Amino acid sequence: MKLFCFANGKIIPTESATIHPMDLAIIRGYGIFDFLRTVNYVPLFLEHYLDRFIASAEKTFIPLEYSREELRQIIKDLIEKNDLKEGGLRLVLSGGVSENHFSPAKGTLFIFAESLIFPAQEKYETGIKLLSLEYVRSIAEIKTTNYAYPVWHSKQWKDAGAEDVIYHMDGEISESSRSNIFIIKDGLVSTPEKHVLRGITRKHVMDIVGDVAVRPVYFEEMLEADEVFITSTTKVLLPVTQVDNHKIGTGKVGKRSLEILEKFKALEKELCY
């Protein structure tokens, strides 16, 4: 965590940030968040993240008492205050303190500046393993703070030598705990359409590929895919070479996945340098 954050309406030392102990974020696990990266001091894809954060507040009925312009200025000030050339910004809006301790109320907005550590380079070169899990994330289209189940379950996938999980239900896959997923078969790139967060990295990968099939993707066809990869703000594009004990494709990182990753990096450079 960096030295300064935004809390209680102003930029303060991060260690001074506080929240009411009866806030729904604490007693019910109810709140929203978003996370974006800075590249060369530029908040990458900022407007898309603000779109999602503002929409999440509306959909969860939590009042957001800051305009887009105000959020944009706070983020700019935090980047400067923390000298955040390469890092992350975490926006959190708590569920608030309500009279009945249940209904959403006026929450507290926090924006934290953070250091950012990408997965080890080796994982991009050799790929990762996912552990399958029969589960659908609650209100998956909203980026809520409710990660209780995957946090609890994470010890099991780490013990199994997996990087993360792949959620599936009734034969269809949806997403990883913190990432979207894509499969490639015979040159066609596909990604699940239901029970997924509309990831910002996912969106730009789809733009780069240009012809992605957004459709039901079945667990068995993922196992038979030529290539599989996950996308997220903190991973960008990470190849998947194993699910459970099943090898994906040749068991090695696919050429197409690496090509898409390189194009994404080129887009970053174009926007931020």
Side-chain angles (χ1 to χ4, degrees):
M1 201 74 71
K2 296 296 183 178
L3 291 177
F4 298 97
C5 75
F6 179 86
N8 301 115
K10 56 187 177 181
I11 292 178
I12 61 173
T14 301
E15 62 184 14
S16 301
T18 60
I19 188 170
H20 194 289
M22 291 299 288
D23 194 293
L24 292 183
I26 295 177
I27 65 172
R28 304 291 183 188
Y30 195 77
I32 63 167
F33 82 103
D34 225 307
F35 187 88
L36 61 133
R37 288 194 292 129
T38 58
V39 179
N40 193 32
Y41 297 106
V42 177
L44 186 64
F45 310 134
L46 175 60
E47 298 307 319
H48 294 117
Y49 285 100
L50 290 180
D51 284 344
R52 187 170 66 184
F53 187 68
I54 293 167
S56 292
E58 293 174 351
K59 291 175 182 177
T60 50
F61 313 108
I62 305 174
L64 175 59
E65 299 187 337
Y66 295 87
S67 68
R68 175 186 291 267
E69 292 72 22
E70 289 171 324
L71 293 172
R72 193 185 291 125
Q73 186 61 50
I74 294 166
I75 287 170
K76 179 181 177 182
D77 292 343
L78 278 175
I79 292 172
E80 181 177 345
K81 188 80 170 174
N82 287 288
D83 192 28
L84 198 66
K85 183 177 182 179
E86 312 285 339
L89 289 159
R90 186 180 303 273
L91 292 78
V92 182
L93 182 62
S94 71
V97 180
S98 63
E99 291 183 2
N100 65 0
H101 309 307
F102 197 83
S103 301
K106 178 185 175 182
T108 300
L109 175 68
F110 299 91
I111 305 180
F112 299 102
E114 305 177 17
S115 299
L116 185 61
I117 301 175
F118 283 103
Q121 181 60 32
E122 178 187 4
K123 294 180 180 180
Y124 292 93
E125 296 170 354
T126 63
I128 61 166
K129 173 184 176 180
L130 297 180
L131 194 67
S132 63
L133 179 62
E134 193 171 15
Y135 179 69
V136 171
R137 192 165 57 85
S138 299
I139 48 176
E141 70 277 8
I142 302 173
K143 202 167 178 67
T144 72
T145 57
N146 181 7
Y147 278 70
Y149 188 73
V151 169
W152 170 79
H153 190 263
S154 63
K155 185 179 186 305
Q156 296 180 49
W157 79 60
K158 289 175 182 177
D159 288 346
E163 178 76 13
D164 210 318
V165 291
I166 177 62
Y167 296 148
H168 63 97
M169 185 66 68
D170 298 327
E172 290 186 34
I173 64 170
S174 53
E175 58 185 4
S176 180
S177 72
R178 293 154 293 170
S179 307
N180 293 117
I181 191 162
F182 292 77
I183 72 168
I184 304 175
K185 182 67 176 180
D186 298 329
L188 178 64
V189 182
S190 302
T191 193
E193 64 176 342
K194 296 190 299 183
H195 306 305
V196 301
L197 181 74
R198 267 52 181 176
I200 307 304
T201 304
R202 172 184 184 262
K203 166 185 165 47
H204 288 281
V205 164
M206 291 169 66
D207 290 344
I208 287 169
V209 174
D211 185 20
V212 176
V214 182
R215 61 174 179 83
V217 178
Y218 296 94
F219 188 83
E220 291 301 321
E221 66 174 310
M222 175 186 64
L223 298 183
E224 297 302 319
D226 299 323
E227 300 179 41
V228 174
F229 61 84
I230 58 175
T231 62
S232 76
T233 301
T234 56
K235 301 178 184 70
V236 184
L237 185 157
L238 199 52
V240 177
T241 50
Q242 184 177 343
V243 176
D244 297 331
N245 294 319
H246 186 96
K247 181 174 65 176
I248 300 297
T250 63
K252 297 181 180 179
V253 173
K255 180 180 177 182
R256 185 79 185 281
S257 299
L258 293 179
E259 288 175 350
I260 297 169
L261 176 58
E262 289 307 309
K263 289 180 180 179
F264 192 97
K265 289 179 179 178
L267 176 62
E268 278 188 18
K269 185 174 292 187
E270 176 185 336
L271 296 174
C272 302
Y273 287 88

